[in-house]
Amino acid sequence: MPTSEDYKGQVPAWCPGCGNFNILSTVKEALVELGIEPWEVLMVSGIGQSGKLPHYMKCHTFNGLHGRTLPVATAAKLANHSLHVIAVAGDGDCYGEGGNHFLHTIRRNPNITLLVHDNQIYGLTKGQASPTTAQKTHTKIQPYGVLEEPLNPLALAISQDCSFVARGFAGDQDYLKELMKAAITHKGFSLLDILQPCVTFNKINTFKWYRDRVYKLEEEYDPSNRLKAFERSLEWGDKIPNGIFYKNERETLEEGMPTIQEEPLVRQKFYIEDVKHEIEKFY
């Protein structure tokens, strides 16, 4: 059985008190409790403070371009669908630069997990408004306040029939771990939006601000009811629900590919020969 130490990577370079530390330790705990070994995991990220997370894990990793996390994660899953592919992104990285990829990944439904560190700000580039920043919030480059209404990623995902939509809070690691385990084991594209306070640049949506507002969806709540899920996803303000809002079972992208049904592409002879041929061109 794996342990958290098996997943220990580089020393994190986040600000002290950052919500990302909680997400990092929770990811490790979730994978350990699921009995998934480091060699069975691929972590894919783009650019941002969230994009550093795979560096702090010991597993297969790919750190790519800003907003391009999901195309890489999808391609990796098609090439080797025996891997547990986890995409990591921030609210700017995923819902801003990567918004188009987010929509089309929902359509394609690859069996991958997306963890979004949603701190409602651009942290790496020092505090600009992101797609989820509240309207009228003042930042360094929005001195008169944010003019646009914030994007609601859960409502968007549910409206497009995403096969798994959930939200957690970095300040409640026990519940976040259960949500992560559910997202990782779900068959299909799983979105877990994580409320992650930025202690340096977002002085509004703090740990205390969230603790005063977040609550768990009721035990009797039915996540198969899409209309109800959409309604609950619109709840934001004095009360913010967390949990699994919506899930459904439908064919994944890999299941629709007949060429990879018997074995992953990376183990097929023609693919291996092609890769060797391409490598030999450089030598």
Side-chain angles (χ1 to χ4, degrees):
M1 286 288 290
T3 66
S4 291
E5 280 298 303
D6 294 329
Y7 280 99
K8 186 176 181 180
Q10 300 175 31
V11 177
W14 291 315
C15 302
C18 176
N20 283 331
F21 286 100
N22 293 6
I23 296 174
L24 174 63
S25 61
T26 306
V27 170
K28 293 177 182 179
E29 291 175 11
L31 291 168
V32 167
E33 291 190 14
L34 290 172
I36 300 173
E37 299 282 353
W39 59 267
E40 297 177 299
V41 178
L42 169 65
M43 303 284 290
V44 181
S45 68
I47 301 298
Q49 294 294 357
S50 62
K52 297 177 182 178
L53 186 141
H55 299 231
Y56 310 145
M57 298 276 292
K58 187 178 180 181
C59 58
H60 301 295
T61 62
F62 188 101
N63 188 208
L65 299 174
H66 203 10
R68 307 296 182 258
T69 306
L70 290 173
V72 174
T74 301
K77 188 67 177 183
L78 288 175
N80 187 358
H81 59 271
S82 64
L83 285 172
H84 293 275
V85 178
I86 301 175
V88 181
D91 43 314
D93 185 40
C94 184
Y95 305 141
E97 285 82 355
N100 56 332
H101 297 303
F102 177 60
L103 288 173
H104 295 297
T105 304
I106 292 173
R107 288 179 55 231
R108 296 184 181 112
N109 196 38
N111 188 17
I112 64 176
T113 303
L114 171 62
L115 306 178
V116 180
H117 300 216
D118 191 349
N119 58 16
Q120 297 161 275
I121 208 80
Y122 278 98
L124 186 66
T125 50
K126 310 300 182 266
Q128 300 91 340
S130 80
T132 57
T133 304
Q135 196 173 29
K136 299 184 180 180
T137 299
H138 293 257
T139 76
K140 292 177 181 178
I141 64 168
Q142 284 91 15
Y144 302 110
V146 177
L147 301 178
E148 304 91 347
E149 289 190 6
L151 178 76
N152 185 328
L154 272 63
L156 177 60
I158 293 166
S159 75
Q160 299 304 304
D161 203 26
C162 183
S163 70
F164 181 101
V165 181
R167 179 165 60 210
F169 169 44
D172 185 353
Q173 289 181 257
D174 289 338
Y175 191 45
L176 181 59
K177 179 175 62 178
E178 296 309 310
L179 294 173
M180 282 187 182
K181 288 160 64 177
I184 293 168
T185 55
H186 176 79
K187 189 189 77 169
F189 180 53
S190 304
L191 166 66
L192 176 53
D193 186 81
I194 305 170
L195 303 174
Q196 176 256 309
C198 174
V199 296
T200 301
F201 297 111
N202 188 341
K203 302 299 185 180
I204 298 172
N205 309 113
T206 63
F207 278 100
K208 182 182 185 307
W209 190 91
Y210 282 121
R211 287 196 177 101
D212 289 343
R213 290 165 173 79
V214 297
Y215 71 94
K216 298 175 185 176
L217 288 169
E218 304 81 8
E219 287 188 16
E220 63 272 17
Y221 174 80
D222 178 12
S224 68
N225 186 328
R226 188 177 173 193
L227 290 178
K228 190 65 177 177
F230 185 82
E231 180 184 330
R232 296 301 292 272
S233 73
L234 300 178
E235 238 182 277
W236 184 272
D238 293 337
K239 294 294 182 182
I240 301 173
N242 278 355
I244 300 173
F245 285 72
Y246 180 63
K247 63 179 179 178
N248 65 64
E249 297 290 340
R250 56 191 175 95
E251 185 180 66
T252 65
L253 181 62
E254 307 91 89
E255 289 175 329
M257 298 275 185
T259 54
I260 60 174
Q261 295 310 304
E262 293 186 9
E263 60 180 348
L265 185 61
V266 293
R267 298 193 188 129
Q268 295 181 25
K269 184 178 179 181
F270 81 90
Y271 176 82
I272 295 172
E273 293 299 323
D274 284 347
V275 171
K276 286 171 61 179
H277 177 70
E278 290 299 318
I279 292 174
E280 288 167 358
K281 289 181 181 179
F282 294 95
Y283 297 94

